[in-house]
Amino acid sequence: MARRASSESRHDQNLAASWQELLDSAVRLDWECRTGEALEVAETAYEAALEAGDVAGALRVSHRLALIHFNKETLAEGLKICLRAETWLRYCQDQAAVISLQSVHGGILVALGDLETGFGLLTDCQKRTKSCPDPLANWRARTAYAVALFDSNDFDRAAEAAAESLNYAETSGLAKGSVLIARSIASRMAARALGEHRLARREIDALLLARTEEQLHSILIEAQAEKLSYEIAECHCYLGLLAWTRGEDALAAGRYVAAIAASRVAQDEVLEAETSYWYAYLLAGQGAFDEAQSLLAGIEALEQVLAVPRIKLRHFDMRFRIAEMAGDWRAAFDHHRIYHELVVEDYRRLASARAYTMKLSLDLETMRRKEDSARLERERLLEENLRLAAEQREAVLASRTDPLTGLGNRRELQLKCREWAQSGVTHAALMLCDIDHFKRINDVFSHSIGDIVLSRLAGLLGDAGAEGGLAIRMGGEEFLLLLPDTRAVDAFATAERLRLRVQDHDWSEVAPNLDVTCSIGLADWSLAESLEAALPVADANLYAAKNAGRNRCVAPAT
């Protein structure tokens, strides 16, 4: 699998950096085997992704965190990471991020012994890859499945699945580092399968052995060139296993010694233990039982390694095998008894892990329900706020608008004049417009027709004042049009155009034989004075227009 990772300390990181930059740093230092720092920086990246609201980012960082724990054999911690990240799966549309997280989640569950749930997740990931365009995520799903088979001791199928994963990695354009990992995994699994065949005295596939050995030699050359201590140790270990499988014990021993030395450089005690088991078996086969026991005793000193249940199981199984080979039946019995107790304890542990997983899942479901309830309440409050805001806007609009014509009213007039004054407007032209003989229109054609006439005139008036002007209904059949930064004498042409539009409008559409005209009085208004000071002038000119026969405009004398 990919290795023990690393990263600069959280204290050295700029917390304002993006989650991707932090994640890249964690991955880089993971390759440098600075695992503790990698975990710290990856946690910071997770927080940064959440702070940025990037759910896919939170899942991608969680994948790396869980993978580091998986490689460290701290499976319970890895499981916590996966269950924490499950909260965000429902919000994520990024298939690649989902596949990456669920593949490591399934792998951890299988390693913990929950094969049904774990392989269920991994199978689901395989299905998702059919619609996912991201080759890296798809490769991760394939690799996780192969590793899960390996962890369930199905070594032959694991080797086949890893070979398929490698083929995918090499043909889908993955980065050099990912292809190197794929080759390493495929070679390791093939070597282990071949070694298990030798242990079981089964037929050895010579072609597979030669191909795997060639692959490991190639990886070793690259690892030595780039000084990748973990890969160097792994290659030596499995090259030794292949040599032992082929019956070349001396060559195998040399490889094992080199692998143990490189494992110590990489500070990887799990790989050191793995190599030591194979080396001890080789020594026992040669009759060097004291040396074999000495190697196993060295592993027992690695307390952190033997704290991993599946390694501890393998340790006492190996002790039993070697004692049996030595003919030390008492020791063989003692080691087998411990092995049996560990198997029983492991079943209990796995049952406890499953129960713990179920509890976390139930807790997570409870949190989801609470979250859904809170979300629904937030949506209800948002809808209520939007409704109240709409009502408030409508109320404000109603307070400033004439309901019949849709023009502004006197309140709108006051507010608009205040805005103009604040924006530097110093004067305006007033056009006071009154419908001629409006009472007769109401009496002859009805009040409903009169309302239509008012609305039609409001539309004509609004069009006339569209360019920055303000049209309002003063009351009854009287309207006011204000043109800012305009003199009354200059507004006279606008008033005339408006009067003619009213006169020439097709009023017969409203009612047969209906004719409508209007009279307009103009005035100048200095905004330094109150509007009421200018309105009497416009009103006087309006009455002058009425007295002169109506259907005309009158401006102030120049």
Side-chain angles (χ1 to χ4, degrees), residues 301-370:
L302 305 176
E303 296 182 6
Q304 188 174 355
V305 172
L306 288 189
V308 179
R310 64 191 180 94
I311 295 181
K312 195 171 184 179
L313 269 170
R314 186 172 180 196
H315 177 78
F316 283 98
D317 180 45
M318 187 64 72
R319 302 254 3 205
F320 156 70
R321 286 171 181 258
I322 292 175
E324 186 181 38
M325 291 169 69
D328 187 350
W329 304 111
R330 178 55 187 260
F333 174 78
D334 289 342
H335 292 318
H336 198 272
R337 177 175 51 80
I338 295 173
Y339 174 76
H340 176 73
E341 291 172 354
L342 288 172
V343 170
V344 173
E345 180 185 328
D346 199 45
Y347 275 111
R348 289 175 182 159
R349 176 184 63 81
L350 294 176
S352 175
R354 291 190 190 97
Y356 179 64
T357 303
M358 289 179 63
K359 178 182 180 303
L360 288 177
S361 298
L362 288 172
D363 290 345
L364 188 63
E365 186 59 31
T366 300
M367 289 174 59
R368 281 177 177 164
R369 288 175 181 172
K370 289 181 178 179

Side-chain angles (χ1 to χ4, degrees), residues 28 89 103 138 147 158 186 193 198 207 209 230 251 272 325 342-343 362 381 391 476 541:
R28 184 177 67 252
L89 286 175
S103 62
N138 295 341
V147 172
R198 163 79 191 269
L207 182 61
L209 192 151
Y230 177 84
L251 179 58
E272 181 182 344
M325 291 169 69
L342 288 172
V343 170
L362 288 172
L381 290 174
E391 288 180 358
N541 288 331

Side-chain angles (χ1 to χ4, degrees), residues 301-449:
L302 305 176
E303 296 182 6
Q304 188 174 355
V305 172
L306 288 189
V308 179
R310 64 191 180 94
I311 295 181
K312 195 171 184 179
L313 269 170
R314 186 172 180 196
H315 177 78
F316 283 98
D317 180 45
M318 187 64 72
R319 302 254 3 205
F320 156 70
R321 286 171 181 258
I322 292 175
E324 186 181 38
M325 291 169 69
D328 187 350
W329 304 111
R330 178 55 187 260
F333 174 78
D334 289 342
H335 292 318
H336 198 272
R337 177 175 51 80
I338 295 173
Y339 174 76
H340 176 73
E341 291 172 354
L342 288 172
V343 170
V344 173
E345 180 185 328
D346 199 45
Y347 275 111
R348 289 175 182 159
R349 176 184 63 81
L350 294 176
S352 175
R354 291 190 190 97
Y356 179 64
T357 303
M358 289 179 63
K359 178 182 180 303
L360 288 177
S361 298
L362 288 172
D363 290 345
L364 188 63
E365 186 59 31
T366 300
M367 289 174 59
R368 281 177 177 164
R369 288 175 181 172
K370 289 181 178 179
E371 183 183 349
D372 286 343
S373 176
R375 177 177 53 79
L376 291 172
E377 179 63 15
R378 286 195 303 272
E379 290 175 355
R380 188 191 67 77
L381 290 174
L382 178 60
E383 289 177 0
E384 181 67 13
N385 287 339
L386 291 173
R387 185 185 64 78
L388 291 174
E391 288 180 358
Q392 184 179 17
R393 284 195 300 272
E394 290 173 4
V396 170
L397 185 63
S399 70
R400 301 171 62 164
T401 306
D402 174 58
L404 175 63
T405 63
L407 295 179
N409 57 18
R410 287 178 177 269
R411 174 175 171 75
E412 175 69 7
L413 175 64
Q414 293 172 348
L415 294 172
K416 194 67 176 180
C417 290
R418 190 180 305 156
E419 289 177 17
W420 282 345
Q422 291 172 351
S423 66
V425 176
T426 60
H427 61 277
L430 306 182
M431 294 167 50
L432 193 60
C433 177
D434 186 89
I435 299 174
D436 295 331
H437 302 298
F438 185 68
K439 183 177 184 303
R440 186 166 60 196
I441 292 173
N442 279 336
D443 292 343
V444 173
F445 294 95
S446 79
H447 284 277
S448 61
I449 294 297

Side-chain angles (χ1 to χ4, degrees), residues 1-2 63 67 70 99-111 118-119 121-123 125-126 136-152 158 161-162 165 181 185 189:
M1 196 85 195
H63 162 260
L67 184 60
F70 181 82
I99 289 171
S100 295
L101 178 71
Q102 289 198 324
S103 62
V104 73
H105 189 178
I108 288 173
L109 288 172
V110 169
F119 276 110
L121 275 176
L122 292 169
T123 301
C125 286
Q126 299 275 39
L136 181 59
N138 295 341
W139 168 69
R140 284 171 176 164
R142 289 169 167 80
T143 301
Y145 185 72
V147 172
L149 289 170
F150 185 87
D151 286 339
S152 60
S165 178
I181 294 171
I185 292 171
M189 293 189 177

Side-chain angles (χ1 to χ4, degrees), residues 506-517:
D506 187 4
W507 294 103
S508 61
E509 290 182 355
V510 179
N513 303 319
L514 174 64
D515 287 316
V516 179
T517 60

